[in-house]
């Protein structure tokens, strides 16, 4: 995938349309939105109830405006719904009271922070889907059912635990990345995340079984944590992925779909390294980072340098965070500390994990007063959508998204040999055994290389195939080619890789000798001839009475006593 394949859009991706980089119209929309929230009682400015900070920072309000394309009326409706939802479900207390082990079990089923950031300072998360099998999901649901955590009756237990992960993202990870000032725009808070999603070794049935699991996270983020996602890089897509993409993308809202990049194996590191420094890319994807899914964050040097540890956990000899919820608090002396909260074995926990070495306040972590400045066009060069990397849109009006798929082909997808169109298949490949000279021969048909039409291959499969290293060799130099019909006008070509790159060859194949027919076979041949004659006669009458030759039946041989 070249840089030209990435389509530039008018984007609200960081830092455009974020705090400190608003256009005049965007700033005006923020002012109106903030005043409306204040009038309706959903926003409290600094100084209210003797508090030095406002109830919501500007970057949080801007997330709702970006999600609604800066329509302040629609943004207010979503913001109001979210604030009501947070009060109704006691979200703040949930984060402070959840059992650390339950939090950890939930964390292992969703994207995990690597402890690293991209080139703009946005945190990078990793999500491997293969470990999320039926056994893992069932074990988690059993743990949730046996939990003593008190939750509102209106909310599904496992969904509320997912809320704790989003709270960690917005109340802990993003403020920490905002406090590290080695990035280009330290005045602008970090309010989004990048996700590397590895779906290798995931079968079609597992995809379907994870449908609700994926939808829960997407719907929760869309409704109550808008614009917290920057990009999704999908890696290891199986061969059937273009087929199921039509119903997978329906699990997410269109804005989320536009942020998804689907990377082929050869494009994984080249694409990731455009956005993320190689030291912050896991080794299995071509980078230098020793990080595996399931680990606690491996903090990058710039983050480690900004912390003064007091009671950390350790991992491979390095300090990291303990499991469970952690939040930032401001001390009386103005310093900022990370406090581990929640419960451990039923008992409340509250201990300081570390303090920020950087002289920064809670207010600074959420954006200091600044003047809006425009973004350099060169900086926006990587402001892209992932649409160009996604499979082509097919006619999916008849896709059944309610019926679970199977991992085996249906009878309709595997027609009986006698029902297949002989013209749609190629001759069966033959071995390289010697052919006796002087005998009659038959040539194996080889498709015309000059044809520009990719007959037998759907657009979805043809698009990645025609850029392969064997481009043109299916017609120019590979006689061993077979078309596989997957039904629904979806066909692929299978080749023998050992013949790729060879010169076209004509193999002389001796005609197959027909054995002498038995009595039953002779009788069948006679019946076939009579049938053909009858059909020819009917056809001639329908086409204007063209005279046909009278067909004479061959006499049947008499049966011998032995027969």
């Amino acid at each position: 995938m070249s840089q030209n394949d990435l389509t530039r859009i008018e984007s609200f991706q960081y830092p455009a349309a974020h705090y400190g980089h608003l256009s005049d119209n965007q700033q005006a929309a923020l002012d109106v939105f903030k005043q409306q929230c204040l009038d309706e009682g959903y926003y409290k400015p600094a100084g209210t109830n003797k508090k030095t900070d406002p109830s919501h920072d500007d970057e949080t309000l801007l997330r709702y405006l970006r999600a609604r394309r800066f329509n302040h009326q629609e943004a207010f409706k979503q913001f109001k719904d979210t604030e009501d939802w947070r009060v109704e479900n006691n979200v703040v207390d949930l984060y402070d009271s959840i059992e650390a082990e339950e939090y950890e079990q939930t964390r292992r089923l969703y994207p995990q922070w690597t402890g690293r950031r991209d080139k703009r300072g946005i945190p990078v998360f990793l999500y491997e889907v293969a470990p999320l099998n039926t056994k893992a999901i069932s074990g988690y649901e059993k743990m949730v059912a046996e939990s003593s955590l008190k939750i509102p009756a209106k909310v599904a237990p496992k969904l509320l635990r997912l809320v704790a992960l989003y709270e960690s993202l917005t109340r802990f990870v993003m403020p920490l990345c905002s406090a590290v000032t080695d990035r280009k725009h330290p005045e602008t808070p970090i309010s989004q995340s990048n996700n590397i999603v590895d779906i290798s070794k995931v079968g079609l049935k597992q995809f379907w079984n994870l449908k609700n699991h994926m939808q829960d996270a997407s719907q929760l983020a869309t409704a109550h944590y808008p614009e917290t996602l920057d990009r999704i890089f999908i890696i290891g897509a199986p061969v059937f992925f273009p087929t199921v993409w039509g119903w997978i993308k329906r699990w997410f809202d269109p804005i989320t779909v536009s942020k998804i990049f689907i990377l082929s194996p050869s494009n994984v590191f080249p694409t990731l390294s455009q956005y993320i420094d190689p030291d912050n890319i896991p080794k299995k994807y071509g980078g230098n980072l020793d990080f595996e899914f399931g680990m606690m964050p491996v903090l990058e040097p710039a983050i480690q340098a900004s912390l003064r540890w007091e009671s950390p956990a350790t991992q491979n000899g390095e300090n990291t965070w303990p499991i469970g919820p952690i939040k930032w608090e401001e001390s009386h002396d103005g310093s900022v500390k990370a406090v581990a909260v929640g419960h451990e074995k039923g008992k409340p926990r509250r201990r300081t994990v570390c303090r920020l070495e950087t002289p920064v306040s809670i207010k600074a972590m959420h954006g200091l007063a600044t003047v809006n400045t425009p973004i350099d066009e060169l900086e926006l060069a990587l402001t892209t959508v992932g649409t160009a990397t996604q499979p082509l849109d097919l006619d999916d009006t008849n896709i059944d998204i309610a019926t679970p798929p199977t991992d085996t082909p249906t009878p309709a997808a595997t027609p009986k040999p006698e029902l297949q169109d002989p013209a749609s298949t190629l001759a069966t490949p033959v071995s390289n055994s010697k052919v006796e000279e002087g005998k009659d021969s038959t040539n194996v048909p080889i498709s015309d290389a000059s044809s520009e039409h990719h007959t037998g291959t759907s657009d979805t499969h043809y698009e990645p195939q025609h850029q392969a290293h064997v481009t043109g060799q299916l017609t120019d130099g590979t006689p061993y080619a077979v078309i596989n019909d997957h039904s629904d006008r979806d066909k692929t070509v299978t080749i023998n890789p050992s013949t790729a790159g060879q010169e076209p060859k004509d193999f002389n194949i001796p005609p197959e000798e027909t054995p002498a027919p038995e009595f039953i076979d002779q009788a069948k041949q006679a019946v076939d001839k009579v049938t053909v004659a009858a059909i020819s006669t009917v056809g001639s009458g329908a086409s204007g009475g063209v005279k046909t030759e009278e067909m004479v039946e061959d006499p049947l041989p008499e049966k011998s006593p032995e027969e």
Side-chain angles (χ1 to χ4, degrees), residues 331-357:
S331 302
H332 296 294
D333 60 0
S335 64
V336 179
K337 60 183 179 180
V339 181
V341 295
H343 282 70
E344 285 183 338
K345 298 181 180 180
K347 297 181 179 181
R349 74 168 184 175
R350 180 178 175 80
R351 67 174 182 270
T352 300
V353 179
C354 67
R355 297 178 185 271
L356 281 175
E357 289 280 16

PDB file of all heavy atoms in Angstrom, residues 331-357:
ATOM      1  N   SER A 331      -2.265  16.351  45.201  1.00  0.00           N
ATOM      2  CA  SER A 331      -1.962  16.465  46.634  1.00  0.00           C
ATOM      3  C   SER A 331      -2.075  17.918  47.089  1.00  0.00           C
ATOM      4  O   SER A 331      -2.206  18.840  46.279  1.00  0.00           O
ATOM      5  CB  SER A 331      -0.555  15.936  46.913  1.00  0.00           C
ATOM      6  OG  SER A 331      -0.428  14.595  46.503  1.00  0.00           O
ATOM      7  N   HIS A 332      -2.004  18.117  48.409  1.00  0.00           N
ATOM      8  CA  HIS A 332      -2.101  19.468  48.959  1.00  0.00           C
ATOM      9  C   HIS A 332      -0.945  20.354  48.507  1.00  0.00           C
ATOM     10  O   HIS A 332      -1.094  21.569  48.399  1.00  0.00           O
ATOM     11  CB  HIS A 332      -2.147  19.403  50.488  1.00  0.00           C
ATOM     12  CG  HIS A 332      -3.364  18.701  51.020  1.00  0.00           C
ATOM     13  ND1 HIS A 332      -4.631  19.203  50.866  1.00  0.00           N
ATOM     14  CD2 HIS A 332      -3.498  17.526  51.699  1.00  0.00           C
ATOM     15  CE1 HIS A 332      -5.515  18.389  51.425  1.00  0.00           C
ATOM     16  NE2 HIS A 332      -4.843  17.362  51.939  1.00  0.00           N
ATOM     17  N   ASP A 333       0.203  19.725  48.226  1.00  0.00           N
ATOM     18  CA  ASP A 333       1.349  20.514  47.789  1.00  0.00           C
ATOM     19  C   ASP A 333       1.334  20.800  46.291  1.00  0.00           C
ATOM     20  O   ASP A 333       2.277  21.374  45.748  1.00  0.00           O
ATOM     21  CB  ASP A 333       2.647  19.803  48.171  1.00  0.00           C
ATOM     22  CG  ASP A 333       2.763  18.420  47.537  1.00  0.00           C
ATOM     23  OD1 ASP A 333       1.832  18.019  46.794  1.00  0.00           O
ATOM     24  OD2 ASP A 333       3.789  17.744  47.780  1.00  0.00           O
ATOM     25  N   GLY A 334       0.268  20.369  45.610  1.00  0.00           N
ATOM     26  CA  GLY A 334       0.152  20.624  44.178  1.00  0.00           C
ATOM     27  C   GLY A 334       0.707  19.525  43.303  1.00  0.00           C
ATOM     28  O   GLY A 334       0.524  19.557  42.081  1.00  0.00           O
ATOM     29  N   SER A 335       1.392  18.537  43.879  1.00  0.00           N
ATOM     30  CA  SER A 335       1.915  17.432  43.080  1.00  0.00           C
ATOM     31  C   SER A 335       0.784  16.479  42.690  1.00  0.00           C
ATOM     32  O   SER A 335      -0.269  16.444  43.332  1.00  0.00           O
ATOM     33  CB  SER A 335       2.985  16.665  43.871  1.00  0.00           C
ATOM     34  OG  SER A 335       2.428  16.053  45.021  1.00  0.00           O
ATOM     35  N   VAL A 336       1.033  15.708  41.637  1.00  0.00           N
ATOM     36  CA  VAL A 336       0.023  14.775  41.121  1.00  0.00           C
ATOM     37  C   VAL A 336       0.492  13.355  41.398  1.00  0.00           C
ATOM     38  O   VAL A 336       1.633  12.997  41.099  1.00  0.00           O
ATOM     39  CB  VAL A 336      -0.199  14.989  39.605  1.00  0.00           C
ATOM     40  CG1 VAL A 336      -1.223  13.995  39.077  1.00  0.00           C
ATOM     41  CG2 VAL A 336      -0.655  16.417  39.338  1.00  0.00           C
ATOM     42  N   LYS A 337      -0.389  12.540  41.948  1.00  0.00           N
ATOM     43  CA  LYS A 337      -0.025  11.162  42.283  1.00  0.00           C
ATOM     44  C   LYS A 337      -1.035  10.188  41.688  1.00  0.00           C
ATOM     45  O   LYS A 337      -2.222  10.507  41.499  1.00  0.00           O
ATOM     46  CB  LYS A 337       0.043  10.980  43.799  1.00  0.00           C
ATOM     47  CG  LYS A 337      -1.263  11.260  44.517  1.00  0.00           C
ATOM     48  CD  LYS A 337      -1.098  11.134  46.033  1.00  0.00           C
ATOM     49  CE  LYS A 337      -2.415  11.439  46.760  1.00  0.00           C
ATOM     50  NZ  LYS A 337      -2.277  11.329  48.222  1.00  0.00           N
ATOM     51  N   ALA A 338      -0.541   8.955  41.373  1.00  0.00           N
ATOM     52  CA  ALA A 338      -1.392   7.875  40.890  1.00  0.00           C
ATOM     53  C   ALA A 338      -1.773   7.003  42.083  1.00  0.00           C
ATOM     54  O   ALA A 338      -0.897   6.497  42.790  1.00  0.00           O
ATOM     55  CB  ALA A 338      -0.661   7.047  39.842  1.00  0.00           C
ATOM     56  N   VAL A 339      -3.085   6.811  42.295  1.00  0.00           N
ATOM     57  CA  VAL A 339      -3.582   6.077  43.462  1.00  0.00           C
ATOM     58  C   VAL A 339      -4.316   4.831  42.990  1.00  0.00           C
ATOM     59  O   VAL A 339      -5.235   4.914  42.155  1.00  0.00           O
ATOM     60  CB  VAL A 339      -4.524   6.954  44.306  1.00  0.00           C
ATOM     61  CG1 VAL A 339      -5.023   6.181  45.523  1.00  0.00           C
ATOM     62  CG2 VAL A 339      -3.818   8.231  44.728  1.00  0.00           C
ATOM     63  N   ALA A 340      -3.893   3.663  43.502  1.00  0.00           N
ATOM     64  CA  ALA A 340      -4.587   2.415  43.212  1.00  0.00           C
ATOM     65  C   ALA A 340      -5.830   2.336  44.088  1.00  0.00           C
ATOM     66  O   ALA A 340      -5.749   2.444  45.312  1.00  0.00           O
ATOM     67  CB  ALA A 340      -3.668   1.224  43.481  1.00  0.00           C
ATOM     68  N   VAL A 341      -7.002   2.179  43.460  1.00  0.00           N
ATOM     69  CA  VAL A 341      -8.270   2.144  44.190  1.00  0.00           C
ATOM     70  C   VAL A 341      -8.965   0.811  43.926  1.00  0.00           C
ATOM     71  O   VAL A 341      -8.370  -0.132  43.404  1.00  0.00           O
ATOM     72  CB  VAL A 341      -9.163   3.339  43.784  1.00  0.00           C
ATOM     73  CG1 VAL A 341      -8.522   4.648  44.202  1.00  0.00           C
ATOM     74  CG2 VAL A 341      -9.406   3.348  42.270  1.00  0.00           C
ATOM     75  N   GLY A 342     -10.232   0.707  44.269  1.00  0.00           N
ATOM     76  CA  GLY A 342     -10.953  -0.547  44.123  1.00  0.00           C
ATOM     77  C   GLY A 342     -10.840  -1.397  45.365  1.00  0.00           C
ATOM     78  O   GLY A 342     -10.595  -0.885  46.469  1.00  0.00           O
ATOM     79  N   HIS A 343     -11.025  -2.711  45.204  1.00  0.00           N
ATOM     80  CA  HIS A 343     -10.962  -3.659  46.305  1.00  0.00           C
ATOM     81  C   HIS A 343      -9.963  -4.772  45.994  1.00  0.00           C
ATOM     82  O   HIS A 343      -9.749  -5.125  44.830  1.00  0.00           O
ATOM     83  CB  HIS A 343     -12.341  -4.282  46.563  1.00  0.00           C
ATOM     84  CG  HIS A 343     -13.275  -3.386  47.311  1.00  0.00           C
ATOM     85  ND1 HIS A 343     -13.817  -2.247  46.753  1.00  0.00           N
ATOM     86  CD2 HIS A 343     -13.773  -3.456  48.579  1.00  0.00           C
ATOM     87  CE1 HIS A 343     -14.613  -1.659  47.632  1.00  0.00           C
ATOM     88  NE2 HIS A 343     -14.605  -2.370  48.749  1.00  0.00           N
ATOM     89  N   GLU A 344      -9.355  -5.303  47.037  1.00  0.00           N
ATOM     90  CA  GLU A 344      -8.508  -6.486  46.936  1.00  0.00           C
ATOM     91  C   GLU A 344      -9.006  -7.514  47.946  1.00  0.00           C
ATOM     92  O   GLU A 344      -8.982  -7.261  49.166  1.00  0.00           O
ATOM     93  CB  GLU A 344      -7.040  -6.143  47.213  1.00  0.00           C
ATOM     94  CG  GLU A 344      -6.357  -5.426  46.063  1.00  0.00           C
ATOM     95  CD  GLU A 344      -4.886  -5.153  46.340  1.00  0.00           C
ATOM     96  OE1 GLU A 344      -4.505  -5.125  47.534  1.00  0.00           O
ATOM     97  OE2 GLU A 344      -4.132  -4.980  45.374  1.00  0.00           O
ATOM     98  N   LYS A 345      -9.503  -8.637  47.427  1.00  0.00           N
ATOM     99  CA  LYS A 345     -10.050  -9.716  48.268  1.00  0.00           C
ATOM    100  C   LYS A 345     -11.108  -9.178  49.225  1.00  0.00           C
ATOM    101  O   LYS A 345     -11.155  -9.528  50.404  1.00  0.00           O
ATOM    102  CB  LYS A 345      -8.926 -10.401  49.038  1.00  0.00           C
ATOM    103  CG  LYS A 345      -7.900 -11.074  48.127  1.00  0.00           C
ATOM    104  CD  LYS A 345      -6.803 -11.756  48.926  1.00  0.00           C
ATOM    105  CE  LYS A 345      -5.804 -12.422  47.987  1.00  0.00           C
ATOM    106  NZ  LYS A 345      -4.717 -13.105  48.724  1.00  0.00           N
ATOM    107  N   GLY A 346     -11.959  -8.314  48.680  1.00  0.00           N
ATOM    108  CA  GLY A 346     -13.082  -7.817  49.447  1.00  0.00           C
ATOM    109  C   GLY A 346     -12.794  -6.608  50.306  1.00  0.00           C
ATOM    110  O   GLY A 346     -13.716  -6.017  50.878  1.00  0.00           O
ATOM    111  N   LYS A 347     -11.555  -6.200  50.424  1.00  0.00           N
ATOM    112  CA  LYS A 347     -11.187  -5.065  51.258  1.00  0.00           C
ATOM    113  C   LYS A 347     -10.823  -3.860  50.384  1.00  0.00           C
ATOM    114  O   LYS A 347     -10.125  -4.018  49.385  1.00  0.00           O
ATOM    115  CB  LYS A 347     -10.016  -5.422  52.173  1.00  0.00           C
ATOM    116  CG  LYS A 347     -10.332  -6.543  53.166  1.00  0.00           C
ATOM    117  CD  LYS A 347      -9.133  -6.828  54.046  1.00  0.00           C
ATOM    118  CE  LYS A 347      -9.437  -7.929  55.046  1.00  0.00           C
ATOM    119  NZ  LYS A 347      -8.268  -8.211  55.928  1.00  0.00           N
ATOM    120  N   PRO A 348     -11.272  -2.670  50.777  1.00  0.00           N
ATOM    121  CA  PRO A 348     -10.923  -1.477  49.990  1.00  0.00           C
ATOM    122  C   PRO A 348      -9.413  -1.266  49.954  1.00  0.00           C
ATOM    123  O   PRO A 348      -8.710  -1.513  50.947  1.00  0.00           O
ATOM    124  CB  PRO A 348     -11.618  -0.344  50.747  1.00  0.00           C
ATOM    125  CG  PRO A 348     -12.668  -1.014  51.557  1.00  0.00           C
ATOM    126  CD  PRO A 348     -12.132  -2.354  51.917  1.00  0.00           C
ATOM    127  N   ARG A 349      -8.922  -0.823  48.831  1.00  0.00           N
ATOM    128  CA  ARG A 349      -7.495  -0.510  48.727  1.00  0.00           C
ATOM    129  C   ARG A 349      -7.340   0.953  48.321  1.00  0.00           C
ATOM    130  O   ARG A 349      -8.130   1.500  47.544  1.00  0.00           O
ATOM    131  CB  ARG A 349      -6.785  -1.413  47.721  1.00  0.00           C
ATOM    132  CG  ARG A 349      -7.078  -1.111  46.267  1.00  0.00           C
ATOM    133  CD  ARG A 349      -6.115  -1.842  45.340  1.00  0.00           C
ATOM    134  NE  ARG A 349      -6.340  -1.468  43.944  1.00  0.00           N
ATOM    135  CZ  ARG A 349      -5.587  -1.883  42.923  1.00  0.00           C
ATOM    136  NH1 ARG A 349      -4.563  -2.704  43.149  1.00  0.00           N
ATOM    137  NH2 ARG A 349      -5.842  -1.488  41.705  1.00  0.00           N
ATOM    138  N   ARG A 350      -6.323   1.541  48.836  1.00  0.00           N
ATOM    139  CA  ARG A 350      -5.991   2.914  48.470  1.00  0.00           C
ATOM    140  C   ARG A 350      -4.535   3.138  48.813  1.00  0.00           C
ATOM    141  O   ARG A 350      -4.185   3.341  49.979  1.00  0.00           O
ATOM    142  CB  ARG A 350      -6.887   3.907  49.221  1.00  0.00           C
ATOM    143  CG  ARG A 350      -6.584   5.359  48.865  1.00  0.00           C
ATOM    144  CD  ARG A 350      -7.510   6.325  49.571  1.00  0.00           C
ATOM    145  NE  ARG A 350      -7.103   7.691  49.283  1.00  0.00           N
ATOM    146  CZ  ARG A 350      -7.395   8.358  48.166  1.00  0.00           C
ATOM    147  NH1 ARG A 350      -8.121   7.764  47.225  1.00  0.00           N
ATOM    148  NH2 ARG A 350      -6.986   9.588  47.974  1.00  0.00           N
ATOM    149  N   ARG A 351      -3.692   3.071  47.806  1.00  0.00           N
ATOM    150  CA  ARG A 351      -2.263   3.281  48.032  1.00  0.00           C
ATOM    151  C   ARG A 351      -1.679   4.047  46.854  1.00  0.00           C
ATOM    152  O   ARG A 351      -2.075   3.869  45.695  1.00  0.00           O
ATOM    153  CB  ARG A 351      -1.528   1.955  48.237  1.00  0.00           C
ATOM    154  CG  ARG A 351      -1.462   1.043  47.036  1.00  0.00           C
ATOM    155  CD  ARG A 351      -0.569  -0.164  47.337  1.00  0.00           C
ATOM    156  NE  ARG A 351      -0.428  -1.049  46.199  1.00  0.00           N
ATOM    157  CZ  ARG A 351      -1.229  -2.070  45.943  1.00  0.00           C
ATOM    158  NH1 ARG A 351      -2.257  -2.335  46.739  1.00  0.00           N
ATOM    159  NH2 ARG A 351      -1.022  -2.833  44.888  1.00  0.00           N
ATOM    160  N   THR A 352      -0.717   4.872  47.176  1.00  0.00           N
ATOM    161  CA  THR A 352      -0.051   5.673  46.144  1.00  0.00           C
ATOM    162  C   THR A 352       0.951   4.803  45.405  1.00  0.00           C
ATOM    163  O   THR A 352       1.819   4.183  46.016  1.00  0.00           O
ATOM    164  CB  THR A 352       0.664   6.876  46.770  1.00  0.00           C
ATOM    165  OG1 THR A 352      -0.301   7.688  47.454  1.00  0.00           O
ATOM    166  CG2 THR A 352       1.355   7.702  45.709  1.00  0.00           C
ATOM    167  N   VAL A 353       0.822   4.753  44.099  1.00  0.00           N
ATOM    168  CA  VAL A 353       1.712   3.941  43.265  1.00  0.00           C
ATOM    169  C   VAL A 353       2.930   4.751  42.843  1.00  0.00           C
ATOM    170  O   VAL A 353       4.060   4.263  42.894  1.00  0.00           O
ATOM    171  CB  VAL A 353       0.963   3.422  42.023  1.00  0.00           C
ATOM    172  CG1 VAL A 353       1.894   2.588  41.143  1.00  0.00           C
ATOM    173  CG2 VAL A 353      -0.257   2.602  42.429  1.00  0.00           C
ATOM    174  N   CYS A 354       2.722   5.993  42.437  1.00  0.00           N
ATOM    175  CA  CYS A 354       3.823   6.842  41.986  1.00  0.00           C
ATOM    176  C   CYS A 354       3.375   8.288  41.968  1.00  0.00           C
ATOM    177  O   CYS A 354       2.194   8.592  42.151  1.00  0.00           O
ATOM    178  CB  CYS A 354       4.314   6.416  40.601  1.00  0.00           C
ATOM    179  SG  CYS A 354       3.091   6.692  39.299  1.00  0.00           S
ATOM    180  N   ARG A 355       4.323   9.174  41.751  1.00  0.00           N
ATOM    181  CA  ARG A 355       4.042  10.594  41.585  1.00  0.00           C
ATOM    182  C   ARG A 355       4.680  11.069  40.286  1.00  0.00           C
ATOM    183  O   ARG A 355       5.682  10.496  39.834  1.00  0.00           O
ATOM    184  CB  ARG A 355       4.577  11.404  42.767  1.00  0.00           C
ATOM    185  CG  ARG A 355       3.917  11.042  44.092  1.00  0.00           C
ATOM    186  CD  ARG A 355       4.520  11.845  45.248  1.00  0.00           C
ATOM    187  NE  ARG A 355       3.972  11.403  46.524  1.00  0.00           N
ATOM    188  CZ  ARG A 355       2.874  11.900  47.087  1.00  0.00           C
ATOM    189  NH1 ARG A 355       2.220  12.878  46.465  1.00  0.00           N
ATOM    190  NH2 ARG A 355       2.440  11.450  48.240  1.00  0.00           N
ATOM    191  N   LEU A 356       4.101  12.137  39.733  1.00  0.00           N
ATOM    192  CA  LEU A 356       4.661  12.713  38.517  1.00  0.00           C
ATOM    193  C   LEU A 356       5.860  13.588  38.857  1.00  0.00           C
ATOM    194  O   LEU A 356       5.760  14.487  39.693  1.00  0.00           O
ATOM    195  CB  LEU A 356       3.614  13.539  37.779  1.00  0.00           C
ATOM    196  CG  LEU A 356       2.586  12.778  36.937  1.00  0.00           C
ATOM    197  CD1 LEU A 356       1.569  13.752  36.376  1.00  0.00           C
ATOM    198  CD2 LEU A 356       3.257  12.014  35.812  1.00  0.00           C
ATOM    199  N   GLU A 357       6.987  13.288  38.210  1.00  0.00           N
ATOM    200  CA  GLU A 357       8.179  14.119  38.377  1.00  0.00           C
ATOM    201  C   GLU A 357       8.008  15.448  37.639  1.00  0.00           C
ATOM    202  O   GLU A 357       8.505  16.476  38.060  1.00  0.00           O
ATOM    203  CB  GLU A 357       9.416  13.392  37.846  1.00  0.00           C
ATOM    204  CG  GLU A 357       9.864  12.226  38.712  1.00  0.00           C
ATOM    205  CD  GLU A 357      10.654  12.693  39.916  1.00  0.00           C
ATOM    206  OE1 GLU A 357      10.602  13.905  40.236  1.00  0.00           O
ATOM    207  OE2 GLU A 357      11.320  11.860  40.550  1.00  0.00           O
TER     208      GLU A 357
END
